[in-house]
Amino acid sequence: MLQAEVEETIKRIQSQKGVQGIIIVNAEGIPIKSTLDNSSTVQYAGNVHQLLMKARGVVRDIDPQNDLTFLRVRSKKNEIMIAPGKEIIQKPKQM
Amino acid sequence: MEIVYVYTKKHSEFGRQCNFSDRPAELHVDILPDISLAANFTVRDPCNVTIQCAEEMSEHEVNTERFESESRGINHVEGGWPKDLNPEDMEATIRYRKKVEKDEHYQNTIMQIAGLMEHCCKQNNATDIYREFFEDEDEEVLEESEEQPSAKTINVFRDPNEVKRTATSLSWHPEGNHKLAVAYSSLEFQRAPNDMSFDSYIWDIENPNKPEMTLRPVSPLVCLEYNPKDSHILVGGSYNGQIAYWDTRKGSQPVEMSTIEHSHRDPVYKVIWLQSKTGTDIFSASTDGQVLWWDIRKMSEPTERLVLDPSKKGNLDNALGVVSLEFETTMPTKFMVGTEQGLVVSCNRKAKTPAEKIVCTYSGHHGPIYALQRNPFFPKNFLTVADWTARIWSEDIKESSIMWTKYHMAHLLDGCWSPVRPSVFFTLKMDGTLDVWDILFKQNDPTLSLKVCDEAMCSIRVQDNGRFLGCGSQLGTTTLLEISAGLCTLQKNEKAMVSEMFERETKREKILEARHREMRLKERSRSEQSREDEGKETDGEESAEELVACAEREFFEIMEAEKKKERNEEKQRDKV
């Protein structure tokens, strides 16, 4: 089952050296899964979502064929790594 | 009621052909010209008619009203939960989350980006990609690739009045450098229009549209200085010779003005704050030949007075008019004065008698000395800007300057040293050019020459960081310039090299001076000799002629020798 795989992958990332936590956010900005406490999750989810939208907009603006693959925000104390999911393409309805 | 028009026509007449008939022309109206009317008109010859075969266009200018905008952000905290879900409700949110997790699309996406994320995590762990490698090598590379010296205009402050006045003096705010005080006046003798405003302004650098504060003196200010100890106090010297001081907290009117009887009789060209315990001492100079000391708390009378009479008699009629003052806080008893006549006079404030106050004079300029400043790193050397040159002097050599620029095409109106680099100084010319000189780099020409505006530039002031400078022009436009980093960062060995250069030039001048003295002594002794024995007068002349003939002979001999050498060399070359 794919779900088990997903869980395993998340655990694997979490166990990497230096990783403090993982948050998975959906397209509406709702945190789906998180290994951090609720208040931090909400804070990260809210801020990161906006930043991601903006960054993606910038990349697309400069070259419409281009798209954002990864975003790293390096700060004095730590680094936030953001991987954007692909935008949903609707399956064409078959007539 | 129907409106009906019945139109009857015989059926046989429908489609009947038109019958045209021909008849000769008939004259209906004939209006003959009235010759008497012609008398009201004259013939115009030639007639100018402008014709253009192009689209007609018109030009309009539109200036939109300034729109003040502010950027604000909104922080949206909780995600976009669907409408029917209450985010506070724990169970509902958990249920929603579980539902999303079961979605296939979600799982696929997570697998994808998880792979990407893992890769980056491993990257981070493998090596620190943000560490500064090759730090030591970096420095060397930087030095080689030096940028071209440049300067760019940051802001321009224009005189808001209709009648433009010259920006005669600038002073930076002592703390933070974000304010600039500019004194406006018209220095042309009796040419100031009647409605000229007397105001001077304090500008905030960020806002060039409107001055931050106005200073309203009784007579236009020629010079203006911030008190380096107290940034609220400014002192200004005005065109009518009075000194006034302002407190920016108290408003635009001067807090106190000196009494007219005891003030200068001519415009006060320079006023400088002195280093004192109370921080309230100033001294001022003007073209009436006096240097006056004041305590701003008591402006009714100057505390001390010095008349710049070179014959040391204190005679005001003989006095030299003062156009610039120089004072260095590290040497509080000495000060220097630049005069209208082109002399620099060095004075000692603490001398016992007025005669001793004037220590020595330096001559060499042809016109009034507009700027006089000691080198902030080498106080023994000072810069003077006058007529068409800028000269650097050493205190010990009184006969001439040790270094000087060439004679320019336009008058030099102001100049100053850079406070951070001992080898850099700035000069302003009458054609609106700013020259930046770096004597370690080039002595013949300015390192950077920049045309700031079309009119004459009258005053310059560098900020303490050496990076920004303000220059004021004849039409009251003050320009704020930023110069490139290369011109305001101290190079290594710079101080040593500049001091070496100054010493070398000083030595050269000393040697030249000694030589001149020798020659003068010889001439004197020779002329004395010839006076004693008159018979040998002709001898004296002859000896001069002999010398000339001797020199000629030697010259031709050398020429012949050179020519022979060349011919020999050619022969050798031909042989080979």
Side-chain angles (χ1 to χ4, degrees):
Chain A
M1 259 272 282
L2 221 67
Q3 191 165 349
E5 263 193 64
V6 167
E7 296 286 323
E8 211 204 291
T9 315
I10 293 175
K11 277 210 191 71
R12 203 172 53 227
I13 298 182
Q14 174 71 28
S15 65
Q16 288 276 352
K17 186 178 85 164
V19 173
Q20 286 171 349
I22 293 193
I23 305 175
I24 302 181
V25 183
N26 82 342
E28 275 96 38
I30 303 172
I32 302 295
K33 197 165 184 63
S34 167
T35 62
L36 302 169
D37 58 283
N38 197 22
S39 51
S40 312
T41 305
V42 166
Q43 210 176 13
Y44 272 109
N47 286 321
V48 155
H49 189 67
Q50 293 170 43
L51 183 62
L52 187 63
M53 290 301 120
K54 198 67 171 180
R56 184 183 257 149
V58 166
V59 172
R60 282 294 193 76
D61 231 355
I62 293 171
D63 180 9
Q65 315 293 347
N66 207 354
D67 195 10
L68 184 68
T69 50
F70 204 81
L71 183 63
R72 285 180 188 246
V73 182
R74 191 97 173 170
S75 77
K76 271 201 280 210
K77 298 190 182 162
N78 36 33
E79 184 175 0
I80 305 174
M81 297 162 69
I82 307 163
K86 299 285 165 271
E87 290 191 345
I88 303 171
I89 307 169
Q90 287 239 330
K91 265 197 275 199
K93 283 223 184 101
Q94 285 180 334
M95 296 281 219
Chain B
M1 188 185 83
E2 253 184 295
I3 301 177
V4 169
Y5 181 75
V6 180
Y7 189 34
T8 50
K9 199 169 182 185
K10 269 197 191 159
H11 192 98
S12 55
E13 284 182 5
F14 279 109
R16 207 168 61 154
Q17 72 192 111
C18 299
N19 284 332
F20 289 105
S21 62
D22 205 1
R23 62 173 167 81
E26 269 179 37
L27 183 62
H28 285 246
V29 183
D30 187 10
I31 308 177
L32 291 166
D34 188 354
I35 306 200
S36 61
L37 285 178
N40 292 337
F41 297 89
T42 50
V43 178
R44 184 209 271 185
D45 187 6
C47 277
N48 288 327
V49 176
T50 49
I51 299 176
Q52 177 165 269
C53 188
E55 258 183 49
E56 272 204 30
M57 299 205 262
S58 69
E59 184 187 313
H60 293 277
E61 271 183 15
V62 170
N63 196 11
T64 53
E65 272 187 36
R66 177 130 26 103
F67 186 75
E68 302 237 353
S69 63
E70 208 182 301
S71 282
R72 298 244 181 150
I74 300 180
N75 191 14
H76 186 91
V77 178
E78 189 74 40
W81 294 101
K83 264 202 280 212
D84 46 359
L85 229 157
N86 177 11
E88 307 290 317
D89 185 2
M90 276 284 291
E91 275 206 33
T93 51
I94 293 178
R95 229 181 299 140
Y96 183 80
R97 287 203 176 99
K98 286 239 164 61
K99 191 174 71 166
V100 173
E101 282 180 23
K102 299 238 169 64
D103 182 20
E104 199 186 303
H105 178 80
Y106 163 86
Q107 290 165 355
N108 282 332
T109 319
I110 292 289
M111 292 311 291
Q112 240 182 349
I113 42 184
L116 197 53
M117 183 63 81
E118 245 193 292
H119 173 78
C120 287
C121 281
K122 287 185 185 151
Q123 218 179 31
N124 265 2
N125 289 332
T127 169
D128 182 3
I129 62 176
Y130 292 101
R131 204 183 84 186
E132 279 285 334
F133 298 102
F134 315 117
E135 244 175 2
D136 308 317
E137 292 182 33
D138 241 356
E139 274 182 18
E140 286 175 23
V141 171
L142 265 181
E143 270 186 39
E144 282 165 29
S145 61
E146 256 180 43
E147 46 182 288
Q148 279 280 49
S150 62
K152 60 178 179 183
T153 316
I154 306 281
N155 238 334
V156 177
F157 307 96
R158 287 181 218 279
D159 187 359
N161 298 47
E162 282 285 321
V163 180
K164 305 282 179 208
R165 304 145 308 155
T166 316
T168 48
S169 170
L170 300 161
S171 175
W172 287 99
H173 194 273
E175 292 148 22
N177 287 327
H178 46 80
K179 285 206 246 227
L180 180 62
V182 186
Y184 295 94
S185 60
S186 174
L187 285 178
E188 288 164 37
F189 186 61
Q190 291 185 348
R191 234 185 279 173
N194 284 338
D195 51 353
M196 185 179 96
S197 146
F198 291 165
D199 300 337
S200 292
Y201 301 106
I202 297 183
W203 296 86
D204 183 346
I205 302 195
E206 311 288 320
N207 184 6
N209 298 313
K210 207 169 97 67
E212 196 187 340
M213 200 174 142
T214 317
L215 303 171
R216 290 182 217 282
V218 163
S219 150
L221 290 179
V222 180
C223 59
L224 188 54
E225 284 288 329
Y226 264 104
N227 184 346
K229 299 248 174 71
D230 182 356
S231 53
H232 296 284
I233 311 272
L234 294 119
V235 74
S238 50
Y239 196 69
N240 67 357
Q242 281 180 297
I243 316 272
Y245 89 94
W246 278 266
D247 188 331
T248 51
R249 296 165 292 203
K250 294 207 189 127
S252 314
Q253 296 294 330
V255 175
E256 211 185 319
M257 294 196 67
S258 61
T259 47
I260 298 203
E261 305 87 49
H262 294 112
S263 305
H264 293 278
R265 317 249 181 86
D266 261 354
V268 180
Y269 277 93
K270 190 94 180 166
V271 74
I272 298 189
W273 288 91
L274 287 172
Q275 192 88 301
S276 74
K277 278 181 249 134
T278 54
T280 52
D281 290 318
I282 56 171
F283 70 137
S284 64
S286 140
T287 35
D288 64 357
Q290 293 181 78
V291 178
L292 299 173
W293 280 262
W294 308 81
D295 182 335
I296 56 171
R297 292 167 298 185
K298 188 170 149 290
M299 292 288 255
S300 52
E301 219 186 22
T303 55
E304 219 180 308
R305 181 192 296 262
L306 170 65
V307 176
L308 254 117
D309 183 6
S311 62
K312 304 201 176 166
K313 284 201 212 89
N315 194 349
L316 203 59
D317 296 324
N318 278 1
L320 309 163
V322 177
V323 190
S324 50
L325 263 186
E326 199 283 330
F327 177 73
E328 181 72 31
T329 47
T330 49
M331 292 190 284
T333 55
K334 291 204 282 188
F335 67 94
M336 290 205 291
V337 162
T339 61
E340 258 186 330
Q341 286 76 11
L343 281 174
V344 176
V345 185
S346 167
C347 307
N348 186 342
R349 193 181 165 191
K350 291 285 180 244
K352 306 276 176 352
T353 66
E356 274 174 38
K357 284 224 169 126
I358 299 177
V359 174
C360 53
T361 61
Y362 302 87
S363 60
H365 273 293
H366 309 287
I369 299 189
Y370 291 109
L372 175 58
Q373 197 190 4
R374 285 185 201 262
N375 188 326
F377 293 82
F378 300 100
K380 275 201 166 262
N381 298 301
F382 57 94
L383 168 76
T384 54
V385 173
D387 54 66
W388 301 274
T389 62
R391 288 171 190 265
I392 300 181
W393 305 72
S394 164
E395 259 189 358
D396 311 318
I397 313 281
K398 303 190 182 40
E399 275 72 33
S400 81
S401 50
I402 59 174
M403 294 171 72
W404 55 91
T405 67
K406 60 176 185 215
Y407 280 85
H408 294 267
M409 297 309 249
H411 278 256
L412 263 65
L413 289 179
D414 202 359
C416 60
W417 289 100
S418 161
V420 288
R421 287 192 64 185
S423 64
V424 173
F425 65 91
F426 306 91
T427 52
L428 285 182
K429 294 224 279 273
M430 201 151 185
D431 59 0
T433 330
L434 165 72
D435 289 327
V436 181
W437 299 78
D438 181 355
I439 50 181
L440 284 180
F441 183 65
K442 237 201 287 187
Q443 280 101 35
N444 295 333
D445 291 308
T447 308
L448 174 65
S449 188
L450 191 69
K451 191 153 189 12
V452 180
C453 59
D454 291 323
E455 61 264 11
M457 299 289 287
C458 300
S459 55
I460 182 172
R461 196 59 89 91
V462 188
Q463 265 190 19
D464 292 326
N465 55 25
R467 187 97 194 223
F468 291 93
L469 51 94
C471 28
S473 78
Q474 208 175 19
L475 292 180
T477 314
T478 311
T479 316
L480 177 64
L481 293 148
E482 178 183 355
I483 51 177
S484 59
L487 288 171
C488 55
T489 40
L490 197 62
Q491 317 274 343
K492 48 182 185 195
N493 293 341
E494 188 173 331
K495 270 207 215 173
M497 289 206 273
V498 173
S499 99
E500 260 181 53
M501 180 183 279
F502 284 154
E503 273 179 37
R504 184 186 69 214
E505 298 300 322
T506 316
K507 228 197 291 182
R508 189 200 73 198
E509 280 300 322
K510 275 208 191 114
I511 293 176
L512 279 177
E513 201 192 303
R515 190 87 177 81
H516 276 180
R517 234 181 286 149
E518 257 183 56
M519 283 173 42
R520 255 180 276 140
L521 271 171
K522 255 197 215 159
E523 278 299 314
R524 220 178 291 152
S525 64
R526 209 181 293 151
S527 67
E528 275 180 26
Q529 261 191 353
S530 62
R531 247 183 278 131
E532 281 175 16
D533 12 75
E534 288 182 5
K536 292 195 189 150
E537 244 182 65
T538 44
D539 234 2
E541 287 171 35
E542 262 179 330
S543 61
E545 282 180 11
E546 250 185 57
L547 280 172
V548 171
C550 195
E552 271 190 34
R553 241 180 296 135
E554 281 180 28
F555 176 70
F556 282 116
E557 272 170 30
I558 296 173
M559 286 290 292
E560 289 297 312
E562 287 287 317
K563 273 198 216 157
K564 243 190 246 173
K565 231 199 277 174
E566 267 188 45
R567 259 177 266 141
N568 285 343
E569 277 176 17
E570 270 188 38
K571 270 190 219 155
Q572 278 188 6
R573 252 182 274 142
D574 289 337
K575 270 192 209 161
V576 174

PDB file of all heavy atoms in Angstrom, chain B residues 178-192:
ATOM      1  N   HIS B 178      22.614  62.706   8.382  1.00  0.00           N
ATOM      2  CA  HIS B 178      21.424  62.623   7.553  1.00  0.00           C
ATOM      3  C   HIS B 178      20.796  63.972   7.314  1.00  0.00           C
ATOM      4  O   HIS B 178      19.768  64.080   6.664  1.00  0.00           O
ATOM      5  CB  HIS B 178      20.398  61.686   8.204  1.00  0.00           C
ATOM      6  CG  HIS B 178      20.238  61.948   9.658  1.00  0.00           C
ATOM      7  ND1 HIS B 178      19.484  62.965  10.149  1.00  0.00           N
ATOM      8  CD2 HIS B 178      20.778  61.330  10.731  1.00  0.00           C
ATOM      9  CE1 HIS B 178      19.546  62.954  11.479  1.00  0.00           C
ATOM     10  NE2 HIS B 178      20.331  61.980  11.853  1.00  0.00           N
ATOM     11  N   LYS B 179      21.460  65.010   7.826  1.00  0.00           N
ATOM     12  CA  LYS B 179      20.927  66.340   7.575  1.00  0.00           C
ATOM     13  C   LYS B 179      22.041  67.223   7.046  1.00  0.00           C
ATOM     14  O   LYS B 179      23.195  67.089   7.434  1.00  0.00           O
ATOM     15  CB  LYS B 179      20.412  66.946   8.868  1.00  0.00           C
ATOM     16  CG  LYS B 179      19.094  66.347   9.292  1.00  0.00           C
ATOM     17  CD  LYS B 179      18.353  67.336  10.131  1.00  0.00           C
ATOM     18  CE  LYS B 179      18.244  66.799  11.525  1.00  0.00           C
ATOM     19  NZ  LYS B 179      16.910  66.917  12.028  1.00  0.00           N
ATOM     20  N   LEU B 180      21.655  68.122   6.185  1.00  0.00           N
ATOM     21  CA  LEU B 180      22.637  69.006   5.585  1.00  0.00           C
ATOM     22  C   LEU B 180      22.128  70.431   5.707  1.00  0.00           C
ATOM     23  O   LEU B 180      21.014  70.733   5.287  1.00  0.00           O
ATOM     24  CB  LEU B 180      22.782  68.613   4.107  1.00  0.00           C
ATOM     25  CG  LEU B 180      23.752  69.388   3.261  1.00  0.00           C
ATOM     26  CD1 LEU B 180      25.137  69.236   3.801  1.00  0.00           C
ATOM     27  CD2 LEU B 180      23.691  68.874   1.846  1.00  0.00           C
ATOM     28  N   ALA B 181      22.939  71.296   6.289  1.00  0.00           N
ATOM     29  CA  ALA B 181      22.534  72.692   6.396  1.00  0.00           C
ATOM     30  C   ALA B 181      23.208  73.464   5.275  1.00  0.00           C
ATOM     31  O   ALA B 181      24.417  73.345   5.076  1.00  0.00           O
ATOM     32  CB  ALA B 181      22.980  73.259   7.747  1.00  0.00           C
ATOM     33  N   VAL B 182      22.443  74.222   4.525  1.00  0.00           N
ATOM     34  CA  VAL B 182      22.998  74.964   3.397  1.00  0.00           C
ATOM     35  C   VAL B 182      22.709  76.437   3.584  1.00  0.00           C
ATOM     36  O   VAL B 182      21.568  76.822   3.864  1.00  0.00           O
ATOM     37  CB  VAL B 182      22.367  74.483   2.065  1.00  0.00           C
ATOM     38  CG1 VAL B 182      23.054  75.144   0.914  1.00  0.00           C
ATOM     39  CG2 VAL B 182      22.450  72.991   1.953  1.00  0.00           C
ATOM     40  N   ALA B 183      23.732  77.255   3.403  1.00  0.00           N
ATOM     41  CA  ALA B 183      23.559  78.703   3.524  1.00  0.00           C
ATOM     42  C   ALA B 183      23.442  79.275   2.133  1.00  0.00           C
ATOM     43  O   ALA B 183      24.255  78.977   1.251  1.00  0.00           O
ATOM     44  CB  ALA B 183      24.764  79.314   4.226  1.00  0.00           C
ATOM     45  N   TYR B 184      22.421  80.107   1.925  1.00  0.00           N
ATOM     46  CA  TYR B 184      22.221  80.707   0.608  1.00  0.00           C
ATOM     47  C   TYR B 184      22.411  82.200   0.696  1.00  0.00           C
ATOM     48  O   TYR B 184      21.886  82.847   1.594  1.00  0.00           O
ATOM     49  CB  TYR B 184      20.790  80.443   0.129  1.00  0.00           C
ATOM     50  CG  TYR B 184      20.499  78.995  -0.115  1.00  0.00           C
ATOM     51  CD1 TYR B 184      19.929  78.226   0.881  1.00  0.00           C
ATOM     52  CD2 TYR B 184      20.771  78.417  -1.344  1.00  0.00           C
ATOM     53  CE1 TYR B 184      19.648  76.895   0.663  1.00  0.00           C
ATOM     54  CE2 TYR B 184      20.480  77.092  -1.567  1.00  0.00           C
ATOM     55  CZ  TYR B 184      19.922  76.335  -0.569  1.00  0.00           C
ATOM     56  OH  TYR B 184      19.643  75.028  -0.781  1.00  0.00           O
ATOM     57  N   SER B 185      23.127  82.744  -0.259  1.00  0.00           N
ATOM     58  CA  SER B 185      23.232  84.199  -0.315  1.00  0.00           C
ATOM     59  C   SER B 185      23.720  84.547  -1.706  1.00  0.00           C
ATOM     60  O   SER B 185      24.111  83.689  -2.469  1.00  0.00           O
ATOM     61  CB  SER B 185      24.220  84.704   0.718  1.00  0.00           C
ATOM     62  OG  SER B 185      25.494  84.149   0.468  1.00  0.00           O
ATOM     63  N   SER B 186      23.693  85.810  -2.014  1.00  0.00           N
ATOM     64  CA  SER B 186      24.197  86.206  -3.318  1.00  0.00           C
ATOM     65  C   SER B 186      25.471  86.995  -3.088  1.00  0.00           C
ATOM     66  O   SER B 186      25.446  88.060  -2.473  1.00  0.00           O
ATOM     67  CB  SER B 186      23.163  87.060  -4.035  1.00  0.00           C
ATOM     68  OG  SER B 186      23.729  87.547  -5.229  1.00  0.00           O
ATOM     69  N   LEU B 187      26.598  86.455  -3.567  1.00  0.00           N
ATOM     70  CA  LEU B 187      27.862  87.113  -3.259  1.00  0.00           C
ATOM     71  C   LEU B 187      28.239  88.160  -4.276  1.00  0.00           C
ATOM     72  O   LEU B 187      29.285  88.768  -4.174  1.00  0.00           O
ATOM     73  CB  LEU B 187      28.980  86.065  -3.180  1.00  0.00           C
ATOM     74  CG  LEU B 187      28.926  85.242  -1.909  1.00  0.00           C
ATOM     75  CD1 LEU B 187      30.015  84.203  -1.938  1.00  0.00           C
ATOM     76  CD2 LEU B 187      29.114  86.122  -0.706  1.00  0.00           C
ATOM     77  N   GLU B 188      27.401  88.336  -5.285  1.00  0.00           N
ATOM     78  CA  GLU B 188      27.755  89.348  -6.285  1.00  0.00           C
ATOM     79  C   GLU B 188      27.427  90.715  -5.756  1.00  0.00           C
ATOM     80  O   GLU B 188      26.328  90.967  -5.279  1.00  0.00           O
ATOM     81  CB  GLU B 188      26.993  89.078  -7.570  1.00  0.00           C
ATOM     82  CG  GLU B 188      27.560  87.848  -8.244  1.00  0.00           C
ATOM     83  CD  GLU B 188      26.627  87.320  -9.288  1.00  0.00           C
ATOM     84  OE1 GLU B 188      26.005  88.158  -9.956  1.00  0.00           O
ATOM     85  OE2 GLU B 188      26.536  86.099  -9.419  1.00  0.00           O
ATOM     86  N   PHE B 189      28.364  91.597  -5.828  1.00  0.00           N
ATOM     87  CA  PHE B 189      28.262  92.871  -5.166  1.00  0.00           C
ATOM     88  C   PHE B 189      27.063  93.658  -5.644  1.00  0.00           C
ATOM     89  O   PHE B 189      26.956  93.997  -6.809  1.00  0.00           O
ATOM     90  CB  PHE B 189      29.556  93.657  -5.429  1.00  0.00           C
ATOM     91  CG  PHE B 189      29.630  94.931  -4.692  1.00  0.00           C
ATOM     92  CD1 PHE B 189      29.598  94.919  -3.316  1.00  0.00           C
ATOM     93  CD2 PHE B 189      29.710  96.122  -5.352  1.00  0.00           C
ATOM     94  CE1 PHE B 189      29.667  96.089  -2.612  1.00  0.00           C
ATOM     95  CE2 PHE B 189      29.785  97.304  -4.668  1.00  0.00           C
ATOM     96  CZ  PHE B 189      29.770  97.299  -3.286  1.00  0.00           C
ATOM     97  N   GLN B 190      26.136  93.911  -4.759  1.00  0.00           N
ATOM     98  CA  GLN B 190      24.966  94.743  -5.017  1.00  0.00           C
ATOM     99  C   GLN B 190      24.124  94.262  -6.174  1.00  0.00           C
ATOM    100  O   GLN B 190      23.409  95.030  -6.776  1.00  0.00           O
ATOM    101  CB  GLN B 190      25.394  96.196  -5.282  1.00  0.00           C
ATOM    102  CG  GLN B 190      25.915  96.830  -4.036  1.00  0.00           C
ATOM    103  CD  GLN B 190      26.229  98.294  -4.234  1.00  0.00           C
ATOM    104  OE1 GLN B 190      26.269  98.782  -5.354  1.00  0.00           O
ATOM    105  NE2 GLN B 190      26.446  98.976  -3.124  1.00  0.00           N
ATOM    106  N   ARG B 191      24.238  92.985  -6.474  1.00  0.00           N
ATOM    107  CA  ARG B 191      23.424  92.517  -7.585  1.00  0.00           C
ATOM    108  C   ARG B 191      22.280  91.641  -7.091  1.00  0.00           C
ATOM    109  O   ARG B 191      21.594  91.029  -7.880  1.00  0.00           O
ATOM    110  CB  ARG B 191      24.298  91.738  -8.568  1.00  0.00           C
ATOM    111  CG  ARG B 191      24.168  92.291  -9.978  1.00  0.00           C
ATOM    112  CD  ARG B 191      24.916  91.474 -10.962  1.00  0.00           C
ATOM    113  NE  ARG B 191      26.326  91.819 -10.966  1.00  0.00           N
ATOM    114  CZ  ARG B 191      27.215  91.134 -11.659  1.00  0.00           C
ATOM    115  NH1 ARG B 191      26.844  90.090 -12.346  1.00  0.00           N
ATOM    116  NH2 ARG B 191      28.478  91.475 -11.638  1.00  0.00           N
ATOM    117  N   ALA B 192      22.121  91.591  -5.798  1.00  0.00           N
ATOM    118  CA  ALA B 192      21.036  90.761  -5.275  1.00  0.00           C
ATOM    119  C   ALA B 192      19.714  91.451  -5.539  1.00  0.00           C
ATOM    120  O   ALA B 192      19.520  92.592  -5.155  1.00  0.00           O
ATOM    121  CB  ALA B 192      21.229  90.553  -3.782  1.00  0.00           C
TER     122      ALA B 192
END
